[in-house]
């Protein structure tokens, strides 16, 4: 739900569940199944560093998913002829993003930073959902280690 809530479920190419992330009211929660860890805290550029090396603020996932230019200071984005994002970059954050291989809802996003290169393959997503009741809640399973992000 653009600008309100976000839920991402990360899967393997054959559908195995790897991780889930929920972003709501500038708070991020995510769990990594293999590590049995549950992370929660404020959405900041360092919030996902236990998961990825790049200092990517989870709030930017809205922009990536919904093809919205990043309005934060220091960011510049370009659109393709069909009005989808083609690239975004921030010299200050040392991050550049390139969007490619678009076929209907599918796309690949390459994110480059001096610390790492990240490729995100989006196969399908729902920009609007009918059943919101528990969709944007994420709680730590009882046998998971809870880690508060700073």
């Amino acid at each position: 739900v653009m600008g309100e809530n976000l839920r991402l479920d990360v899967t393997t190419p054959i559908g195995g569940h790897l991780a889930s992330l929920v972003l709501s009211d500038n708070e991020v929660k995510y769990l990594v199944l293999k590590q049995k860890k549950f992370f929660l805290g404020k959405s900041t550029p360092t919030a996902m560093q236990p998961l990825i090396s790049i200092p990517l603020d989870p709030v930017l996932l809205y922009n990536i998913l919904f093809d919205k230019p990043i309005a934060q200071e220091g960011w510049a984005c370009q659109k393709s002829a069909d009005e989808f994002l083609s690239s975004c970059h921030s010299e200050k954050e040392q991050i550049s993003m390139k969007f490619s291989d678009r076929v209907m809802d599918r796309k690949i996003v390459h994110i480059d930073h001096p610390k790492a290169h990240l490729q995100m393959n989006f196969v399908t997503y729902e920009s609007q959902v009918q059943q919101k009741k528990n969709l944007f809640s994420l709680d730590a399973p009882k046998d998971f280690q809870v880690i508060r992000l700073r």
Side-chain angles (χ1 to χ4, degrees), residues 7-8 13 23 36 40 55 57 62 67 78-79 124 126 135 141 143 146:
R7 180 184 181 107
L8 288 176
L23 180 62
K36 290 193 168 195
L40 72 152
D57 191 329
Y62 286 123
D67 283 294
Q78 288 73 45
K79 288 187 172 185
T124 185
E126 297 292 328
L135 184 64
D143 58 339
V146 176

Side-chain angles (χ1 to χ4, degrees), residues 1-7 23-25 58-72 79 85 107 125-129 132 135-136:
V1 180
M2 178 61 190
E4 294 176 25
N5 298 300
L6 177 73
R7 180 184 181 107
L23 180 62
S24 182
D25 298 323
V59 169
L60 298 182
L61 293 171
Y62 286 123
N63 302 84
I64 293 169
L65 274 173
F66 297 107
D67 283 294
K68 301 292 182 191
I70 299 169
Q72 294 179 4
K79 288 187 172 185
L85 285 181
K107 66 182 157 195
Y125 70 93
E126 297 292 328
S127 61
Q128 296 194 2
V129 292
K132 292 184 185 180
L135 184 64
F136 300 111

Side-chain angles (χ1 to χ4, degrees), residues 14-144:
I14 60 170
H17 186 198
L18 296 174
S20 291
L21 177 141
V22 170
L23 180 62
S24 182
D25 298 323
N26 208 28
E27 180 182 65
V28 65
K29 296 179 183 179
Y30 59 93
L31 60 86
V32 182
L33 276 80
K34 189 173 184 177
Q35 296 176 4
K36 290 193 168 195
K37 292 183 178 177
F38 180 84
F39 300 86
L40 72 152
K42 189 175 178 179
S43 180
T44 66
T46 59
M48 292 196 306
Q49 283 193 306
L51 193 59
I52 60 173
S53 299
I54 298 171
L56 184 69
D57 191 329
V59 169
L60 298 182
L61 293 171
Y62 286 123
N63 302 84
I64 293 169
L65 274 173
F66 297 107
D67 283 294
K68 301 292 182 191
I70 299 169
Q72 294 179 4
E73 185 179 336
W75 280 91
C77 295
Q78 288 73 45
K79 288 187 172 185
S80 60
D82 53 4
E83 291 299 307
F84 290 111
L85 285 181
S86 59
S87 65
C88 292
H89 72 276
S90 168
E91 288 185 31
K92 179 184 172 194
E93 303 293 334
Q94 296 181 296
I95 295 175
S96 67
M97 300 180 198
K98 293 197 184 327
F99 298 73
S100 66
D101 300 319
R102 292 180 179 274
V103 178
M104 299 187 60
D105 285 343
R106 294 175 178 251
K107 66 182 157 195
I108 297 175
V109 181
H110 298 272
I111 303 173
D112 286 304
H113 183 268
K115 290 185 177 180
H117 172 83
L118 176 65
Q119 178 178 311
M120 302 173 95
N121 298 337
F122 294 97
V123 178
T124 185
Y125 70 93
E126 297 292 328
S127 61
Q128 296 194 2
V129 292
Q130 302 301 320
Q131 307 267 332
K132 292 184 185 180
K133 186 176 180 192
N134 293 316
L135 184 64
F136 300 111
S137 65
L138 189 62
D139 298 314
K142 73 175 188 173
D143 58 339
F144 276 49

